[in-house]
Amino acid sequence: MSAELETLRERREALELVAAETDRARAGSGRLVLLRGATGTGRTALLEAVAGQAAARGTRVLRARCSSDGDTAAFAPVRQLLASGAEFESGVEPCPDPADTPHRWTRAEHLWDQLRAYAVDSPLLVAVDDVHCADESSRRWFVEAARRIDRLPVLLVATERSQYDLDPPPAGLAHALSPTLVRTHTVTPLSPEAAAQLVRSEFGTAPPGWVDDCVRAGAGSPLLLRALLDDLRAREPDGVPRTTLPESCAALYPGAYPAAVTWWLDSAGPATAGVARALATLDDDALEDEHPRETAELLARMADADPARVPGWLTAMTHLGLLRPGPRGRPGYAHPLLRDAVLSGWPSTRRQAAHRTAAEVMLRRGDRAETVAGQLLRASAVGAPWAATALLDAADLAARDARPDDAVAFLRRVLDEPLTPARRTTALTELGSLEFAVARSSGGIPRLTEATRLPGMPQDRVRAAVALGTVLARRGKARAAMDVLRGLDEQLADHPDLIRLLQTASALLSDHDQGIREEAYRWLYGAAERSPDLVGTAGRALLVRYDATAGLVSAATAMERIRALLDEPVDALAEPFLLGTAAAVAQWADELEEAEGLVRRGLARQRPSLLHPMHEALLNVRADIAAVRGRYAELLVDPEVRRSGGRARPGPANAHAHALIALVETGRTEEASRLADSFDLRDAQDSWELNRFLYARGVLRSAAGDPAGALDDFLECGRRQTARDVVSPVVTPWRTAAAACRTALGRPQDALALAREELRLAQVWDTPRLVGRALSGLATATGGRRGLELADRAVRLLRDAPAQTELISALIAQGRQFVAAGDRARARDALREAAERAERLGAVRLRAQAEDALPEGRSRGAATALTGWEALTGSERRIAALAAGGRTNAEIAELLHLARRTVETHLTSAYRKLGIRRRAELTAVIEGRAADPGDPAEVPGG
């Protein structure tokens, strides 16, 4: 089938109509056949087929094509028509030039006589293309001809554009004719099936999805579809299409498709083209919450079109197939490629102006700030205050919704608008902060530097300086960060509160450099001794934190001082420093719920778009709490963990250390090794986070069976921390870990020295978690009867601590010592409890350790029951039996010399293993089983 006939799919009805009318004309009774259709539906091709069909049947064909850009003289199409014959019949004079005939109607009659003369010897088919473009004189002539040919062997076939445009079209050719004189046929768009057949005729191996994309981009128009296939044929000369249809016309060559779309728009008139392009400029987000009526009003304003006709145009284009209804009935282009083609012929200045108009309309009708700002991103500078306000508001919303990339785009755009110094300072500070937060690049430094130098409110310059200092410190330039903060001192002579704030920020940021840290805290201590007011509430909180890490204060004393500071009034700028510091101390003191509350308060009062040292500090405390509770999944989804080690920052962060340990504990050692290897610690900047990472890498090496390598990491961590005057195990228990390595390497005396020092420092802080962990380490290093006593003390202490992982490790260590002492029954209880707790926590490594130790304490090859009565530990069985006998939790605690909380924990675990929910069910369970001779005697009621 030829290419011409391919475009005539689904046109059989029209061809049959004209064939029937041709036979009628040949019998002496002519008529007008009007082929009406939208632009691009193939009217011209159909007319050519009609003419060819008539000529093949012996009918003479006269042709004319009307054009608004062609000959504008009166009767030009008619003269073209009459001149199209091969020769004039004898006795018929050539058509004279209209200028030779002074009276128009006389000319019209003369032209009619010529047509009638043509029909004397042969039936005629008069084919007139695009009759809607004919001049007024020619239109009247064709109308009059239609009235006269009903008794002549003349068939007049004309094509006429029939499409809903924004500019109302003139009346059609058949408007003034009786229905008996005209037959009208509407040329409809191609059906999806016919369009798909046309695509497959060119690309027979195309996958269905690709064919469907072509059909949607062709929009039912033979013109557009044929142009698209021409471009695709040039792009895919082997006839094998790529997997997806491009969404941009830039990928099409030679560009027949965008040219066809542009021609289609031009033929529709400037108003229609303006609305079509306005619709193409609005993305889905801009129309997300709109009702179709609102969309129509917006398009009308953008294109300066008649708002009453836009809804009708949208409906008509949807019926044609160019548009498709989306969610809630909102219209959109049938394919992204079609949308891009609509925009391709629009100058950028016109497009920007349309976006500005859209933004103004959206603002006046109360749309969301982000919707308005989305239009402003695509418009040139407005120069009005409302534009800056919308962009700043949108940036704030995007930052709060954790969409920093969107916030950055809005803030970059707002800098093109005229801003007051205060607004520019705010915009630069937030933009510099977000650019660093998003990419960890130095791109934000120039913006923050400019913000610190602009005139404006002192508070704004301080915020900018703190943000700049945070960036510099995280990039390993702590000295430069201090210089930035101190550089504002002279400008803030009248603001002692702001000077105190800068000094507090300096002390906090000094954690990134050992030498600066010593200098900062020496000044802080000296100032506090002279007058506490010199350092402020937040500064005094930092001193409590320092004392805690230096092993100078107990947890109880530290919390007493912290709570007193929290009760004091504090200004808004200093509050984040106070909350973040208090949260860290509370977490070390095992006051985890209080610490979590402080973290929530601190994060809620932070501006996400402002870089602040306490923001990351609060996140670190949150991660520390998750680690204490054994929430490994939470630690592994931290966004910081997904950053590239080399590009993200000069060294690893606290989040990387936690993730490394979480991977080890969940049995993913290969991933842990890759994470550890992603950092070259030789080039890492000195910081407390590096020390944390060294400890975590030591944990990995120890788990991988490399105690010597692990010992090196633990000792280096300890050396660095001690140099910072951080000796308390509240930060990292490096001594306990190093002692275990020295024991494994056969150096028990060195292990004992480390373990004893760890216990001494832990007892200074005096929390169950620290003391219990240290006792367990010392028990392993000590061994023998004394080791068993220490292990028992450790387990009892840790049962009242919030750290499940510490208790599991202590139970495993205790179980191993029971094995060494030959006490298999008690070893079984400890190790099975450890395995069960590890299973609940998802601690794969700890569970494996417990199960590997079990055969040492019982017959080899026995299975480890984790549910049912056999899964209960000895303590759980005793407590369950007493509870079944009617004892209350308080009575059980007093009888067994346990804390009430420990009793509740054992009962909860027993319920879960036994598959029961209520205390009353315990009696049935116990009475329904035979006594186990291996179990310890359990007598309900004492």
Side-chain angles (χ1 to χ4, degrees):
M1 186 178 289
S2 68
E4 180 181 355
L5 291 179
E6 283 289 336
T7 63
L8 294 179
R9 294 178 183 273
E10 300 184 318
R11 302 295 183 245
R12 180 180 301 278
E13 183 181 349
L15 293 173
E16 291 176 350
L17 169 66
V18 176
E21 292 297 324
T22 301
D23 291 341
R24 185 173 184 272
R26 291 171 64 86
S29 181
R31 188 148 50 185
L32 167 65
V33 174
L34 197 58
L35 304 176
R36 307 178 76 230
T39 300
T41 50
R43 300 188 313 269
T44 298
L46 178 58
L47 185 63
E48 288 299 316
V50 163
Q53 178 180 265
R57 299 179 64 182
T59 302
R60 188 171 187 177
V61 179
L62 304 181
R63 293 178 172 85
R65 176 166 295 170
C66 307
S67 172
S68 57
D69 299 328
D71 190 350
T72 58
F75 299 108
V78 182
R79 292 186 298 108
Q80 178 191 154
L81 181 79
L82 296 175
S84 67
E87 58 184 17
F88 290 100
E89 295 294 336
S90 58
V92 178
E93 297 180 3
C95 177
D97 187 87
D100 297 339
T101 310
H103 299 292
R104 182 164 298 178
W105 187 245
T106 304
R107 263 184 282 158
E109 285 296 324
H110 182 72
L111 294 169
W112 167 251
D113 289 342
Q114 288 187 326
L115 177 65
R116 190 172 50 186
Y118 270 116
V120 170
D121 295 330
S122 172
L124 294 179
L125 185 142
V126 178
V128 183
D129 197 16
D130 291 341
V131 72
H132 53 278
C133 295
D135 63 276
E136 187 58 31
S137 298
S138 297
R139 284 174 61 83
R140 288 203 303 268
W141 191 90
F142 287 130
V143 169
E144 187 61 28
R147 291 191 178 109
R148 296 183 180 187
I149 59 176
D150 60 333
R151 296 183 181 180
L152 292 176
V154 177
L155 178 64
L156 174 57
V157 182
T159 66
E160 185 176 64
R161 183 176 182 275
S162 175
Q163 184 172 302
Y164 192 102
D165 294 323
L166 272 297
D167 294 320
L173 190 66
H175 177 69
L177 291 174
S178 168
T180 60
L181 300 177
V182 59
R183 293 289 303 274
T184 300
H185 177 81
T186 299
V187 183
T188 60
L190 291 177
S191 68
E193 294 76 17
Q197 291 173 7
L198 182 55
V199 174
R200 290 194 183 94
S201 70
E202 295 284 352
F203 298 94
T205 62
W210 191 86
V211 172
D212 182 63
D213 280 344
C214 289
V215 170
R216 290 194 293 121
S221 167
L223 169 73
L224 301 186
L225 186 55
R226 173 54 59 188
L228 175 61
L229 294 176
D230 287 346
D231 280 342
L232 293 175
R233 194 184 308 110
R235 187 169 181 257
E236 323 285 359
D238 56 357
V240 179
R242 304 181 191 182
T243 55
T244 58
L245 192 70
E247 295 188 356
S248 169
C249 292
L252 297 181
Y253 181 81
Y257 179 74
V261 173
T262 299
W263 181 83
W264 181 90
L265 291 170
D266 290 344
S267 69
T272 299
V275 170
R277 286 167 170 149
L279 177 61
T281 63
L282 297 175
D283 53 26
D284 294 336
D285 291 339
L287 302 176
E288 181 180 1
D289 298 323
E290 286 202 349
H291 188 275
R293 178 180 53 79
E294 294 174 330
T295 300
E297 293 174 356
L298 175 61
L299 294 173
R301 291 292 304 276
M302 292 174 68
D304 194 22
D306 183 357
R309 291 189 61 82
V310 173
W313 181 83
L314 293 172
T315 301
M317 295 305 102
T318 301
H319 289 161
L320 284 178
L322 276 86
L323 303 181
R324 287 194 174 188
R328 296 183 58 189
R330 293 184 300 271
Y333 282 95
H335 193 274
L337 183 63
L338 177 57
R339 174 183 172 182
D340 187 70
V342 170
L343 286 174
S344 63
W346 211 17
S348 61
T349 53
R350 297 273 301 278
R351 194 182 306 185
Q352 290 173 359
H355 282 298
R356 171 178 174 162
T357 301
E360 290 182 281
V361 173
M362 291 173 174
L363 180 71
R364 279 196 291 269
R365 71 186 189 188
D367 283 9
R368 295 180 303 132
E370 288 179 275
T371 304
V372 177
Q375 298 303 310
L376 292 173
L377 287 177
R378 300 168 177 84
S380 56
V382 175
W386 66 264
T389 300
L391 288 162
L392 289 172
D393 289 347
D396 182 62
L397 290 170
R400 293 184 186 280
D401 289 345
R403 292 182 287 108
D405 291 330
D406 291 343
V408 165
F410 293 135
L411 289 168
R412 286 174 178 168
R413 171 62 181 82
V414 80
L415 294 179
D416 296 334
E417 299 293 335
L419 300 170
T420 63
R423 273 191 158 188
R424 189 167 186 84
T425 300
T426 299
L428 286 168
T429 303
E430 295 185 357
L431 178 56
S433 298
L434 287 168
E435 286 179 332
F436 178 78
V438 170
R440 289 285 195 235
S441 71
S442 59
I445 294 178
R447 302 191 193 277
L448 293 170
T449 302
E450 181 184 351
T452 63
R453 296 172 179 171
L454 287 173
M457 298 292 290
Q459 293 88 339
D460 293 335
R461 294 204 303 277
V462 167
R463 288 190 183 95
V466 169
L468 179 57
T470 303
V471 172
L472 293 171
R474 291 184 189 174
R475 292 185 63 81
K477 300 177 180 178
R479 180 68 64 181
M482 298 302 105
D483 291 342
V484 167
L485 297 177
R486 292 167 182 167
L488 288 182
D489 283 354
E490 295 181 1
Q491 305 174 35
L492 301 173
D494 298 332
H495 300 275
D497 56 330
L498 295 180
I499 293 177
R500 287 196 300 269
L501 178 70
L502 290 176
Q503 291 163 347
T504 301
S506 298
L508 186 65
L509 293 175
S510 70
D511 283 341
H512 293 272
D513 186 282
Q514 176 182 330
I516 299 175
R517 184 177 191 272
E518 182 179 350
E519 174 188 331
Y521 277 96
R522 188 186 309 118
W523 180 93
L524 206 59
Y525 266 109
E529 288 176 359
R530 292 192 300 273
S531 172
D533 291 338
L534 289 177
V535 297
T537 306
R540 282 180 281 158
L542 282 178
L543 292 177
V544 175
R545 190 189 73 156
Y546 187 94
D547 289 347
T549 59
L552 301 175
V553 66
S554 68
T557 301
M559 286 306 299
E560 181 181 355
R561 291 164 59 184
I562 284 292
R563 287 166 179 152
L565 292 171
L566 288 169
D567 289 337
E568 294 185 16
V570 61
D571 62 78
L573 288 177
E575 186 180 37
F577 293 97
L578 174 61
L579 293 174
T581 305
V585 175
Q587 183 270 132
W588 292 334
D590 288 346
E591 300 290 349
L592 298 190
E593 291 184 2
E594 185 173 353
E596 286 176 323
L598 291 167
V599 169
R600 285 193 297 270
R601 281 176 59 190
L603 291 176
R605 298 179 189 186
Q606 290 269 314
R607 283 182 63 88
S609 54
L610 280 178
L611 200 60
H612 195 286
M614 267 303 162
H615 181 74
E616 187 163 284
L618 289 163
L619 295 178
N620 283 330
V621 174
R622 187 166 68 183
D624 293 344
I625 294 171
V628 171
R629 296 191 185 279
R631 296 174 180 165
Y632 302 125
E634 183 178 328
L635 295 169
L636 293 174
V637 298
D638 191 308
E640 188 70 42
V641 176
R642 295 194 290 269
R643 296 186 188 275
S644 165
R647 293 189 311 155
R649 55 197 306 145
N654 183 50
H656 296 117
H658 280 309
L660 192 57
I661 293 176
L663 288 170
V664 171
E665 296 300 344
T666 53
R668 297 153 65 179
T669 53
E670 290 187 4
E671 292 180 58
S673 297
R674 287 196 295 271
L675 176 58
D677 294 342
S678 68
F679 294 96
D680 186 351
L681 301 190
R682 295 172 299 179
D683 299 329
Q685 298 293 334
D686 177 51
S687 72
W688 69 270
E689 292 177 299
L690 173 60
N691 302 339
R692 282 274 183 97
F693 194 79
L694 282 168
Y695 175 80
R697 193 175 69 176
V699 172
L700 169 63
R701 287 177 167 175
S702 177
D706 180 14
L711 180 61
D712 289 342
D713 280 340
F714 293 141
L715 292 179
E716 179 62 14
C717 169
R719 184 192 68 77
R720 287 171 173 270
Q721 287 192 179
T722 304
R724 290 168 163 266
D725 206 16
V726 177
V727 297
S728 173
V730 296
V731 179
T732 51
W734 66 270
R735 294 178 188 84
T736 294
C741 291
R742 281 183 165 162
T743 299
L745 292 169
R747 297 158 62 184
Q749 293 305 313
D750 292 340
L752 269 174
L754 284 169
R756 286 168 179 162
E757 178 64 9
E758 182 90 335
L759 179 58
R760 184 188 71 80
L761 291 167
Q763 287 172 333
V764 172
W765 186 244
D766 198 23
T767 59
R769 174 159 57 109
L770 256 65
V771 176
R773 181 174 61 199
L775 280 170
S776 180
L778 181 58
T780 299
T782 301
R785 182 180 297 275
R786 176 60 178 162
L788 282 172
E789 293 173 356
L790 293 171
D792 183 64
R793 286 176 57 193
V795 169
R796 282 190 283 111
L797 269 175
L798 288 169
R799 288 195 187 281
D800 294 327
Q804 287 291 305
T805 54
E806 305 289 0
L807 175 58
I808 295 169
S809 296
L811 285 167
I812 293 172
Q814 184 187 44
R816 285 170 173 167
Q817 293 204 47
F818 280 136
V819 170
D823 191 342
R824 294 190 171 191
R826 298 178 71 184
R828 182 195 66 177
D829 287 346
L831 292 170
R832 289 173 69 183
E833 181 183 356
E836 192 273 336
R837 287 179 177 273
E839 182 187 36
R840 280 188 308 192
L841 204 61
V844 176
R845 183 177 75 97
L846 291 175
R847 177 178 173 178
Q849 286 182 349
E851 293 182 337
D852 287 345
L854 268 170
E856 301 171 13
R858 55 183 295 169
S859 60
R860 292 188 176 273
T864 304
L866 297 179
T867 59
W869 182 263
E870 292 298 323
L872 268 61
T873 65
S875 297
E876 289 171 347
R877 294 180 189 183
R878 293 185 189 95
I879 292 172
L882 290 169
R887 301 275 190 172
T888 65
N889 289 357
E891 290 171 340
I892 296 172
E894 183 178 358
L895 182 64
L896 298 180
H897 306 289
L898 298 173
R900 182 172 177 174
R901 176 179 173 185
T902 302
V903 173
E904 293 170 350
T905 300
H906 279 307
L907 279 175
T908 300
S909 177
Y911 289 171
R912 188 186 64 79
K913 293 177 183 179
L914 296 172
I916 62 177
R917 296 185 178 183
R918 291 182 293 276
R919 202 182 193 95
E921 297 177 77
L922 273 174
T923 303
V925 171
I926 292 175
E927 290 178 351
R929 60 173 301 276
D932 185 346
D935 290 341
E938 297 157 347
V939 184

